């Protein structure tokens, strides 16, 4: 059966202007039956790291024939390359600025191709200097979604930009990481993951570390102490309702990362946490 | 003709994270041709009453084969049941926490089935402890949208949680109710409804009251006095433009409820009204 | 091949209520296979000028069979007419309050028909006094999207409301215009456009001026001085990265208009600019 073309969109364009609409119009002109799904348009302006993280939390749940269009592009108009990346989990289109770092760090779904979007047949006839989302990336995504081969879009792009993986240091008695993201609820996601439950134990299977890909650490969830934002939180919980409303807790979040939360409240606000802040999990 | 699967989404997830995208990916993996419609993702965190109200204002306008997925779920991870509800107007999927109270209070479209989402075939293979929207509710909604029978998803769920209907007291010379919702414009919707125009008269047909389902009250719109937020407003209008810009008025809103508004302004702000505040309509 | 019905939506309804969802339900009841694309629901309440501008930036990128539904309707319930407008670029549905001014000012795609939405067959059976978006405009848009002829919806509507085109005065040594819009990034779009690059020169081809439709002005981009918000900015750039982060610049934006920006910052905030403010481009 023919797959229905599916394009997701992740941008920092906000929801007030016509920019996202223009991109969707461009896509539907090329792929009239494409299914369009917004991941978010509320990435903080120019925050490539945040876009990389939010994409990471969502793309794996889409069918592998999906095309994920990401336009967070502070370097628009500079020499930064427009690229497409293919992995077994999906195809990704956007600027070569690190926004696909997490996608490319996934060793279970190794990168199959990275190309530069160079062929003018897969761009709009007129290219503005300031809106490649509409003029370059949206047409490329639409053509890929309709089945155009990634290699038709341009030559291989060597050495795409990637960020260093988020901090994760594993010692016999402690695991150290950093805050990755504070979500809408104020839940704070950290780089300490993936954590997998096995009875009352947690097993750490590093998510992004190429170097430490083989390392594993096992510890009793109830015995761990989390030090973050000047506080100590004892124990890693399974779910919010194990504590009273208003209480601070640590738990394993929906992506398998250690998360700091306040039940029915905001841990980001209470603990004043920001991306990059240190979090340490001390094992007894 | 085969119906196109249609799933609506109502959550408190906001628009900044990958959560809504993940749920849509899950749905499109199961129901690739499903039409997805966002009702809102801006329910105040954990505000089950608000979600119930917003769903009530929208669901009746969708085709009856639609599946309405609601994820406002402060009890995720607790013993609260995941349920599906079927009425002649649609099928509803979400936590058993009262979010379907208005749906189930509609005597014209009585509940046909309520089941607990228990069958693992209609869940993701891995269930997180914190994100049942993605792992339990989205797959159930997708399967229902593709035509799986509600009874296949699990056993009947007895005594689903419902809120008491909003306050509505009818006396010969006055009707008393409460504020239900302040909308984006600052228009304040009350529980005094449904009001139906008949010439210059208004007829009250209680919307949610099982007890008072047969009661009706008839009064002259121009003669009514509305007492709310320490003010008196004389007369119920048909539309905003009957008063000057900036003026406060009472009118019958788009769902047939008594509404307090300021033309081209915010009644919620001017009168400081909040859900639960008392509103009285005095009849001459 | 049959075209897939496509309806875009532009409103001031915000994202918190059930209003947009209701309209989509109404559309999908009439046109079950319609593709729905949100342009924005964050037009400032009752700001018809802003809606007209945002629609202008997006509609031309959609296929010509698209129906563009715009509901920014401060006069709902008054005598203002509900209309549909057809041009070679698309069909437009909304209140007759000027919201289609830019669409109708486009001399390259002259208006083919304007009708009043009068035929009750293309409305909901019950019309509220306050929500014509749901009861009048959404059904009309859905029927038009499925191929109903515009002339079936009602009689010709003479003299639709249009705004005067935005200010644009061309003198031998200066071009004067006004601020049209500040976008999500704080980039400030002006009425000085369209500007087309030819080498280092810019050619002005007035976008909306019926009177001045034939006028053209040519100048060296590097020699121009832009006076706006009490500042002078020298030169018109091609792109943000020609200046350092934090620096103010003038450039040609993605719709071909002169734009004032701060690289990785907000020009709207720094210069305190608002729609209607004067901007002058002095030519050497």
């Amino acid at each position: 059966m023919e797959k229905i073309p599916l394009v997701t969109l992740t941008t920092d364009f906000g929801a007030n202007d016509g920019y996202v609409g223009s991109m969707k119009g461009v896509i539907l002109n090329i792929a009239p039956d494409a299914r369009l799904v917004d991941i978010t348009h509320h990435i903080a302006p120019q925050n490539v790291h945040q876009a990389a993280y939010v994409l990471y939390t969502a793309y794996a749940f889409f069918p592998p024939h999906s095309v994920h269009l990401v336009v967070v592009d502070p370097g628009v108009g500079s020499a930064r390359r427009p690229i497409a990346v293919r992995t077994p989990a999906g195809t990704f289109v956007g600027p070569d600025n690190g926004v696909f770092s997490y996608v490319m760090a996934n060793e279970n779904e190794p990168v199959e191709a990275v190309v530069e979007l160079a062929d003018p047949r897969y761009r709009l006839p007129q290219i503005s200097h300031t809106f490649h989302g509409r003029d370059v990336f949206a047409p490329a995504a639409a053509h890929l979604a309709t089945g155009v081969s990634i290699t038709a879009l341009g030559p291989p792009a060597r050495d795409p930009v990637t960020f260093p993986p988020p901090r994760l240091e594993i010692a016999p008695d402690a695991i150290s990481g950093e805050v990755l993201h504070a979500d809408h609820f104020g839940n704070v996601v950290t780089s300490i993951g993936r954590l997998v439950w096995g009875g009352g134990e947690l097993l750490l299977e590093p998510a992004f570390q190429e170097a430490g890909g083989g390392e594993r650490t096992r510890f009793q969830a109830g015995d761990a102490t989390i030090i973050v934002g000047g506080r100590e939180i004892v124990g890693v919980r399974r779910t919010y309702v194990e504590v009273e409303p208003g209480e601070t807790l640590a738990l394993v979040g929906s992506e398998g990362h250690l998360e700091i939360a306040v039940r029915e409240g905001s841990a980001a606000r209470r603990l004043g946490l920001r991306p990059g802040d240190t979090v340490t999990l001390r094992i007894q």
Side-chain angles (χ1 to χ4, degrees), chain A residues 37-245:
Chain A
V37 176
D38 299 308
I39 304 296
T40 181
H41 300 292
H42 297 277
I43 298 296
Q46 289 100 30
N47 193 329
V48 176
H49 278 81
Q50 190 191 349
Y53 174 76
V54 170
L55 176 66
Y56 156 70
T57 65
Y59 79 87
F61 294 94
F62 285 84
H65 74 278
S66 305
V67 178
H68 303 282
L69 173 55
V70 183
V71 189
V72 177
D73 193 14
V76 63
S78 74
R80 73 92 190 85
R81 298 173 297 186
I83 60 172
V85 177
R86 197 185 64 211
T87 82
T91 302
F92 301 83
V93 172
D96 179 26
N97 62 12
V99 79
F100 303 127
S101 293
Y102 290 142
V103 170
M104 295 197 274
N106 185 337
E107 295 176 326
N108 296 324
E109 290 159 344
V111 172
E112 295 167 344
V114 184
V115 305
E116 183 169 351
L117 303 174
D119 192 320
R121 286 177 300 170
Y122 304 113
R123 299 174 157 204
L124 290 198
Q126 302 266 13
I127 309 284
S128 71
H129 293 284
T130 58
F131 193 4
H132 289 186
R134 180 190 70 194
D135 305 337
V136 176
F137 298 122
H143 285 292
L144 287 164
T146 62
V148 169
S149 163
I150 191 171
T151 56
L153 273 69
R158 284 178 215 290
D159 299 322
V161 174
T162 55
F163 309 136
R167 196 145 45 87
L168 181 62
E169 287 149 24
I170 304 172
D173 61 346
I175 303 167
S176 244
E178 62 180 307
V179 168
L180 291 183
H181 181 74
D183 77 8
H184 173 72
F185 297 97
N187 299 331
V188 173
V189 185
T190 77
S191 62
I192 299 180
R194 298 178 174 251
L195 293 168
V196 181
W197 287 98
E201 279 194 341
L202 280 166
L203 177 68
L204 175 66
E205 299 178 349
F208 308 114
Q209 314 310 85
E210 294 188 43
E215 285 187 84
R216 290 167 169 244
T217 294
R218 196 182 288 275
F219 59 92
Q220 287 292 325
D223 293 346
T225 301
I226 293 88
I227 299 120
V228 63
R231 295 206 179 199
E232 299 206 348
I233 303 164
V234 177
V236 178
R237 314 281 183 158
R238 285 171 195 270
T239 180
Y240 309 104
V241 295
E242 290 181 34
V243 303
E244 295 302 307

